[in-house]
Amino acid sequence: MLPPAERMRALLEGRRPAYSLQRELYVDTELYELELEHIWGREWVFAGHGIEIPGPGDYLTLPIGHYNIIVLRGADGVVRALHNVCRHRGSMLCDQAQGSVQRRIVCPYHQWSYELDGRLARARKTDAGFEPNDHGLVQASCEMVGGMIFVSVAESPPDFAPVASLVGRYLAPFDLEHAKVAFSSTIVEDSNWKLVLENNRECYHCKGAHPELCATFPEAPLHSGGGEGDDLAALQQIVERCEAMGLPSAFTASADHQYRAMRLPLLGTARSMTHDGEPAVARRFGHLPADNIGDVLLYHYPSTWNHFVADHAVTFRMLPIGPMQTQLTTTWLVPGSAEAGVDYDVESLTSVWLATNAQDKVLVERAQRGVRSPAYRPGPYSTAEEEGVIQLIDWYATSMQGALGDGLQGAPA
Ligand code: FES
Ligand SMILES: [Fe+2]
């Protein structure tokens, strides 16, 4: 069999545009490893929210393929990304998805301890000549925008400034730095990460699958730049009305569609993504001048998509944990002043997306089981309904092909 990089190149060169990918790209372990290296090991990955780690020593962990990162707030208030690997003999330092360390990070193996900025603080009985300054935790790149933390494990990550500029503008009115986490859920879907993301990038399946979501969310493909007639008119209307209020709203995507921000109208008189369209929270975020401001959508490949309405936000962190397994963490944010049981009820707040996630889990796991069959053949995406999926798969293929090159380097002349 050909080496994995050559197999990947051949598959991507041979793929049919606007068709789903070949079977191997959804099931093969070696090709998945290449994706970990060239996509997940290179791009910015959404880690979580600054408000999840409010104080010094508070951390969350972020598994990115074989990497594991401690995203930790230092004594100086700065959020850093530290590789979760002890500099003695490599033990993982922090096991929990989220937690807090006291003054220092202490390795559970032989108790080397590290300052909250990663410097080695203490190591017992080291040999003469041991240099503590050479044994601090390795840092990864970390950026925060609009309260959202992004991490890249690449030595030279892509320029984050354009992402920060777009995301920062759209999120500023929500003031998420002063929001609070009302609920969080993590599930594992037995499905390749691309099938999970593909499912997110279209609403072709919504009518048949998501009665709760479809109560307020337009299934028309406005979210990927499509739509027509009344749907498009409603979009234009909310964009104009909100822009006039100083709220960024226009559909804005990077040229390669790796990230996008936009505002969508909700259906009818809905003001929130709830079962009846009424706000779930009796407060509204930050500096928002009204509550009928639709839904701000934000995605960034490969790891996140998000919804922001006036009274709450729902964010998604998607991480690959195997060729056919994906972890999805959903987090509900509410205004910082809102009190559970007084201003909102957690069940009403979370019911639409908990139901939608459960429905999507069934869909993507069923898709994975079908794609695993040797009888699977790539099928055509609908350009009217699945333009977002086409954009995603084109981005994926271009990214992988760019990383793998044409295979001629080092070849004999
Ligand atoms: S591996 Fe961490 S102290 Fe030994
Ligand atoms: Fe869905």
Side-chain angles (χ1 to χ4, degrees):
M1 188 150 49
L2 291 171
E6 280 184 45
R7 283 203 291 134
M8 174 73 94
R9 264 195 299 267
L11 285 166
L12 294 177
E13 273 164 29
R15 85 185 174 98
R16 198 164 165 184
Y19 270 63
S20 59
L21 292 165
Q22 299 97 321
R23 175 179 181 272
E24 293 92 321
L25 292 165
Y26 296 116
V27 305
D28 186 282
T29 302
E30 289 178 340
L31 302 182
Y32 167 76
E33 290 285 334
L34 283 178
E35 296 171 350
L36 290 188
E37 180 182 350
H38 295 297
I39 289 187
W40 292 90
R42 173 183 146 76
E43 299 295 346
W44 290 96
V45 174
F46 172 52
H49 299 280
I51 53 169
E52 293 181 89
I53 48 171
D58 293 343
Y59 73 84
L60 52 88
T61 52
L62 171 69
I64 307 178
H66 302 297
Y67 294 95
N68 196 286
I69 303 293
I70 310 168
V71 180
L72 177 99
R73 194 177 293 275
D76 53 3
V78 173
V79 174
R80 294 178 179 82
L82 306 170
H83 282 276
N84 196 356
V85 181
C86 182
R87 291 298 307 278
H88 176 218
R89 281 166 49 200
S91 171
M92 187 175 265
L93 299 159
C94 300
D95 297 330
Q96 308 298 319
Q98 207 174 333
S100 193
V101 294
Q102 297 297 322
R103 269 175 356 110
R104 288 175 181 156
I105 306 164
V106 180
C107 179
Y109 205 170
H110 314 94
Q111 290 75 50
W112 281 27
S113 64
Y114 300 89
E115 305 289 357
L116 300 184
D117 61 5
R119 282 176 298 142
L120 181 65
R122 187 152 181 274
R124 289 179 293 125
K125 298 191 179 174
T126 48
D127 286 7
F130 175 78
E131 184 44 73
N133 290 337
D134 293 343
H135 293 84
L137 297 179
V138 178
Q139 288 212 24
S141 299
C142 185
E143 295 277 358
M144 175 115 68
V145 58
M148 297 177 77
I149 305 165
F150 287 81
V151 169
S152 170
V153 296
E155 279 190 16
S156 308
D159 184 9
F160 192 71
V163 184
S165 160
L166 180 67
V167 173
R169 267 191 320 115
Y170 278 71
L171 292 193
F174 292 92
D175 190 25
L176 296 183
E177 288 90 344
H178 296 103
K180 74 178 193 187
V181 174
F183 193 75
S184 178
S185 116
T186 295
I187 58 174
V188 172
E189 302 183 335
D190 289 330
S191 181
N192 180 273
W193 65 272
K194 298 187 296 301
L195 290 178
V196 176
L197 210 45
E198 285 181 41
N199 179 64
N200 173 262
R201 296 301 303 115
E202 47 93 358
C203 221
Y204 194 24
H205 70 277
C206 290
K207 197 170 190 166
H210 299 317
E212 297 85 357
L213 183 69
C214 286
T216 62
F217 188 78
E219 59 183 289
L222 302 165
H223 51 86
S224 51
E228 54 192 12
D230 290 349
D231 297 316
L232 202 53
L235 174 70
Q236 279 160 356
Q237 198 205 1
I238 196 155
V239 166
E240 277 168 30
R241 187 163 56 76
C242 288
E243 291 271 1
M245 286 192 276
L247 302 173
S249 302
F251 181 101
T252 313
S254 61
D256 62 358
H257 288 278
Q258 184 184 11
Y259 54 91
R260 173 219 58 194
M262 69 174 302
R263 185 181 307 272
L264 269 187
L266 294 174
L267 296 178
T269 56
R271 292 175 291 160
S272 187
M273 293 177 89
T274 50
H275 65 282
D276 60 0
E278 290 300 303
V281 187
R283 311 247 168 189
R284 91 174 67 118
F285 280 124
H287 319 302
L288 295 176
D291 62 4
N292 56 344
I293 57 159
D295 177 19
V296 168
L297 278 72
L298 168 69
Y299 75 65
H300 183 277
Y301 301 153
S303 65
T304 188
W305 63 87
N306 307 277
H307 294 271
F308 305 88
V309 291
D311 65 307
H312 72 275
V314 191
T315 67
F316 298 83
R317 180 181 95 168
M318 188 202 76
L319 300 169
I321 53 177
M324 289 179 271
Q325 265 200 336
T326 302
Q327 183 199 71
L328 182 66
T329 298
T330 308
T331 305
W332 285 259
L333 306 182
V334 298
S337 59
E339 269 186 64
V342 177
D343 298 306
Y344 66 97
D345 166 58
V346 172
E347 204 182 318
S348 316
L349 174 72
T350 56
S351 62
V352 168
W353 274 105
L354 283 178
T356 304
N357 279 352
Q359 292 149 357
D360 280 327
K361 176 176 159 69
V362 171
L363 295 177
V364 299
E365 291 186 345
R366 194 186 282 134
Q368 180 71 66
R369 288 202 301 276
V371 168
R372 260 185 106 158
S373 164
Y376 160 80
R377 300 284 182 275
Y381 298 125
S382 156
T383 50
E385 291 291 337
E386 294 170 299
E387 185 62 31
V389 190
I390 295 171
Q391 292 161 359
L392 162 69
I393 294 303
D394 285 349
W395 169 80
Y396 162 81
T398 305
S399 299
M400 285 305 303
Q401 286 175 308
L404 295 173
D406 57 13
L408 298 177
Q409 289 99 329

